[in-house]
Amino acid sequence: MAATTRSPVAPLDLFKRIDAQATTRDYVNRQEVFAQDDRADALFYIRSGYVKLTVKAKDGKRAVVGIHHKGDFFGEGCLVNRSRRMSTATAVQPCSIARVTRTRLVHVLHTEPAFAKLFIAHLLRRIGRIEEEFVDQIFSSSEKRLARILLSMAGFGSQADPEPVRIKVSQETLAEMVGTTRSRVSYFMNRFRKQGFIDYNGTVEVHPALVNFLTYE
């Protein structure tokens, strides 16, 4: 589901342009950043931790539609005037998150053309990543979707010589993201561990070798 490559436009480079306009808040695990249907009045930047985006249907069913980690923006829908949040953002673990109001962001976009150009490029690449995730959801097996999600959470694709990365995420959350059951995720995780792609004992240590799994027929 999640893409393994990162945007050529580094979000940190963008955020440095508006850092002075931001306020930072710490969130505990499972604490909501915003809820579906809330007024969209700010953009968020993750300084540390992970945030999941969840959509709830009218029949009560829920689905995780994305997960973001340190260095990611989320909440870009605030740029649409009088818009509402289309998903609920929740901390997956303790997080430090910066918030920039729509008013301040729009002011910077109007007064700094160079920033506006970079930000538009970032949004276009985010749209491309979302399209890749939909294609992955349709055509890839659950096992390969899980591999991509783990690689994305570990940030592989942004490093020339990556090292193993530890991440903390529950099997329930991974199952929601993949679109399968917790028991299937557990089965796939055990397979990955036996093949040396991950270590798993409460936290997940993702090894760069997991990339090789995606090349298998």
Side-chain angles (χ1 to χ4, degrees):
M1 179 177 171
T4 59
T5 57
R6 307 303 301 277
S7 167
V9 180
L12 179 59
D13 293 339
L14 287 171
F15 186 74
K16 286 178 179 177
R17 305 287 189 93
I18 53 175
D19 197 9
Q21 310 293 324
T23 57
T24 300
R25 177 181 172 184
D26 293 332
Y27 293 81
V28 299
N29 186 35
R30 298 184 180 180
Q31 184 177 359
E32 284 188 1
V33 181
F34 56 74
Q36 188 172 332
D37 292 327
D38 280 355
R39 187 165 63 93
D41 58 359
L43 176 75
F44 296 87
Y45 175 83
I46 304 175
R47 293 186 182 275
S48 65
Y50 296 90
V51 171
K52 68 176 179 180
L53 302 181
T54 309
V55 173
K56 182 179 179 180
K58 291 182 179 180
D59 61 3
K61 292 183 179 179
R62 295 178 183 271
V64 175
V65 294
I67 191 158
H68 300 295
H69 47 76
K70 178 181 178 181
D72 282 346
F73 283 114
F74 65 98
E76 295 96 331
C78 71
L79 290 172
V80 180
N81 194 25
R82 298 181 180 176
S83 63
R84 296 283 174 175
R85 299 295 186 189
M86 297 182 66
S87 61
T88 295
T90 308
V92 175
Q93 60 179 204
C95 297
S96 179
I97 301 174
R99 178 180 184 273
V100 181
T101 65
R102 177 186 182 278
T103 300
R104 292 179 177 179
L105 178 61
V106 169
H107 175 73
V108 175
L109 289 170
H110 285 168
T111 58
E112 295 191 28
F115 172 81
K117 182 177 180 180
L118 285 174
F119 194 75
I120 290 171
H122 166 75
L123 292 179
L124 290 173
R125 289 181 174 86
R126 171 65 66 83
I127 291 171
R129 191 170 83 176
I130 292 172
E131 290 177 345
E132 290 176 356
E133 291 171 357
F134 276 119
V135 171
D136 189 41
Q137 185 74 23
I138 295 170
F139 293 109
S140 294
S141 67
S142 296
E143 193 170 18
K144 286 199 171 183
R145 290 200 301 272
L146 175 61
R148 288 192 177 94
I149 288 167
L150 293 173
L151 289 167
S152 180
M153 291 186 67
F156 291 146
S158 61
Q159 307 171 56
D161 187 21
E163 298 291 333
V165 176
R166 285 189 177 275
I167 59 177
K168 188 173 183 179
V169 60
S170 70
Q171 290 188 357
E172 288 83 359
T173 296
L174 289 172
E176 289 177 335
M177 295 177 66
V178 173
T180 188
T181 63
R182 182 186 178 282
S183 62
R184 290 297 288 168
V185 166
S186 179
Y187 173 74
F188 297 146
M189 296 283 277
N190 285 328
R191 277 172 52 91
F192 290 162
R193 179 167 50 187
K194 289 178 181 178
Q195 295 176 80
F197 297 147
I198 65 171
D199 286 321
Y200 183 54
N201 185 16
T203 59
V204 183
E205 185 175 89
V206 182
H207 295 264
L210 183 57
V211 174
N212 298 330
F213 173 77
L214 297 178
T215 67
Y216 295 169
E217 295 294 338

